[in-house]
Amino acid sequence: MIIGVGIDVAEIDRFGESLLRTPQMVERLFSERELLLPSGERRGTASLAARFAAKEAVAKALGAPGGLRWLDAEVYVEESGQPRLRVLGTVAARAAELGVRHWHVSLSHDAGVASAVVIAEG
C-alpha cells in the first residue's frame, strides 16, 4: 500500500550558488557518505541538488510534518547504481508512525534542473 508520494525539483545553478554563499549548508544537509561518489571523489552540484530534492520529497511523502532533520534522510547508491534511502531519527520515527516499511527513490538531473520522486510504501 502506498502511504505517500513526494516529488521535488531544484534548479542546479541556484542550488550551487546557495552552497557557495553558505558553505556550512553542506554539513547541515548531507552526510559525509552523500558527499562522495563510490570512487571517493566529491559529488558534483547536480548530484547534490538531486539528493536535496529527494530529501524534500521524503518530507512531502511523510505529510510534510515539522521537525524533520535533513541528516535523518540519507540517499545512497547500491552497486547497481540504483538510489536508495536510509532513514534515521526524526524521519524514521515519522515513517514508523505512518507504517512505512519500504522506500522507492528516483533521481534525475538534466537541462539545469534536478528532480526526485519518493514513494513511501507500507
Side-chain angles (χ1 to χ4, degrees):
M1 175 174 75
I2 293 176
I3 293 173
V5 176
I7 185 170
D8 197 68
V9 297
E11 188 179 331
I12 296 168
D13 287 344
R14 184 174 173 208
F15 183 76
E17 289 167 8
S18 294
L19 294 180
L20 288 174
R21 267 194 322 272
T22 315
Q24 63 272 27
M25 196 167 102
V26 170
E27 296 168 2
R28 288 197 313 258
L29 295 176
F30 304 108
S31 71
E32 201 56 44
R33 288 183 291 227
E34 287 177 301
L35 295 174
L36 301 176
L37 294 166
S39 65
E41 294 178 65
R42 186 147 174 122
R43 281 191 190 283
T45 304
S47 180
L48 291 177
R51 279 153 177 74
F52 174 74
K55 291 170 186 257
E56 288 278 358
V58 166
K60 292 173 182 177
L62 294 175
L68 298 180
R69 293 186 62 238
W70 292 107
L71 294 175
D72 287 348
E74 182 181 68
V75 178
Y76 68 97
V77 179
E78 292 187 336
E79 279 188 34
S80 66
Q82 184 174 4
R84 294 286 186 192
L85 185 66
R86 181 178 296 116
V87 297
L88 314 155
T90 58
V91 176
R94 176 64 176 165
E97 278 178 31
L98 297 175
V100 177
R101 293 185 298 153
H102 302 287
W103 295 96
H104 305 274
V105 182
S106 181
L107 307 175
S108 185
H109 45 80
D110 189 29
V113 176
S115 62
V117 174
V118 172
I119 298 172
E121 182 183 3

